[in-house]
Amino acid sequence: MERSTFTTREGRFWATFRRNSSRFRGLNKNDLAYLAAIDLQSFFAEASTSLSLPAPPPVPLPSHATPPPERRDAARTRLEELRRRHGRRP
């Protein structure tokens, strides 16, 4: 399950985010660098929204970062959908 949690208490801010480990399997370091940058951008955007701050600047992509193949993303999305529907891990 992918989720982010933001908590503000007594002038302090805590944030956690979780990502499915399955989305990282079989990827090379270039693909992983791309996912890390995209995830950080998403995390910062959600945190700034939670704190009512202006949108953060974009996270720069490392020079070796390449997007993962779309076929893998489609397969991962389908697998997650099946897991939710059937309530167990195949």
Side-chain angles (χ1 to χ4, degrees), residues 31-52:
D31 299 337
L32 292 172
Y34 179 85
L35 287 179
I38 297 302
D39 284 348
L40 279 174
Q41 181 65 42
S42 171
F43 176 74
F44 289 146
E46 288 181 48
S48 67
T49 301
S50 176
L51 294 170
S52 301

Side-chain angles (χ1 to χ4, degrees), residues 5-6 9 11-12 16-17 20 23 26 29-33 38 46-48 51 61 63 65 67 72 75 83 88:
T5 306
F6 304 98
R9 194 176 323 139
R12 292 188 177 204
T16 60
F17 64 106
N20 292 328
R23 71 189 293 237
K29 67 179 181 176
N30 300 340
D31 299 337
L32 292 172
I38 297 302
E46 288 181 48
S48 67
L51 294 170
L61 287 174
S63 61
R72 180 176 302 279
R83 285 177 176 162
R88 62 182 170 199

